[in-house]
Amino acid sequence: MDLQEFLGYQKQRYVFILKHFSAATFSSITVGVVGGMLGSGFFPVTFGPIFPYLLFSSAGFGLGSIFVWQREKTTALTYYEKYPRLIEQHIKKAFPLVDTKALRHDYRTNNTSMTFGHLSWLILGCQSAYEDIDDIEARRISQVVDYYAESKTDEFEEE
């Protein structure tokens, strides 16, 4: 594996880290400031604004992390449903020790409640396959645009 190929796999990991960092930081600050304001309004003598800010910002960071995880999980399950062989090939190439047969079996039997380990590998495989999936989707959109560009009617037809 050369450096360019390695960085190609890693680029989506960096995007994931950036998404997690930005969502968790934003929710931490937002929820923390609201908690600090509530704390200074309701408990000005006993707690003040600092303790509620720290408590609420920690909760906000956790909520932001959960939000990013849910979004990545939904995206990975959707992509795996559409492109199972492509994602399995990316998992085999990037992570050769992962048992893709067990992952496929877990997906077929527990679609919405896969084990945490298999779901993590599936998310990493989807991150590796993002560029190929984007290419497939772009080709499909191009085919639809070409179909409508070649049609001879300019009016909207109801079906």
Side-chain angles (χ1 to χ4, degrees), residues 38-139:
L38 290 173
S40 66
F42 290 118
F43 310 106
V45 177
T46 54
F47 291 120
I50 298 297
F51 180 71
Y53 169 79
L54 293 174
L55 184 69
F56 278 74
S57 67
S58 298
F61 188 86
L63 290 174
S65 298
I66 290 170
F67 174 74
V68 171
W69 172 258
Q70 288 295 333
R71 188 174 52 205
E72 289 293 320
K73 175 183 168 183
T74 303
T75 302
L77 290 173
T78 303
Y79 283 167
Y80 191 67
E81 187 175 320
K82 289 181 177 181
Y83 314 107
R85 289 187 186 145
L86 175 67
I87 293 171
E88 286 176 8
Q89 287 302 316
H90 275 275
I91 292 172
K92 286 178 186 177
K93 185 175 182 182
F95 315 107
L97 299 177
V98 176
D99 184 12
T100 55
K101 290 179 183 176
L103 186 137
R104 187 180 323 123
H105 180 270
D106 192 19
Y107 175 79
R108 288 181 180 160
T109 56
N110 307 321
N111 185 354
T112 56
S113 61
M114 292 177 68
T115 63
F116 186 75
H118 286 155
L119 191 57
S120 297
W121 288 118
L122 184 63
I123 290 172
L124 287 174
C126 288
Q127 289 174 354
S128 297
Y130 275 159
E131 290 182 14
D132 291 335
I133 292 170
D134 286 343
D135 187 38
I136 291 169
E137 296 292 328
R139 288 180 189 180

Side-chain angles (χ1 to χ4, degrees), residues 19-35 52-68:
K19 282 193 279 188
H20 175 258
F21 180 74
S22 60
T25 301
F26 178 76
S27 63
S28 174
I29 291 171
T30 304
V31 174
V33 167
V34 169
Y53 169 79
L54 293 174
L55 184 69
F56 278 74
S57 67
S58 298
F61 188 86
L63 290 174
S65 298
I66 290 170
F67 174 74
V68 171

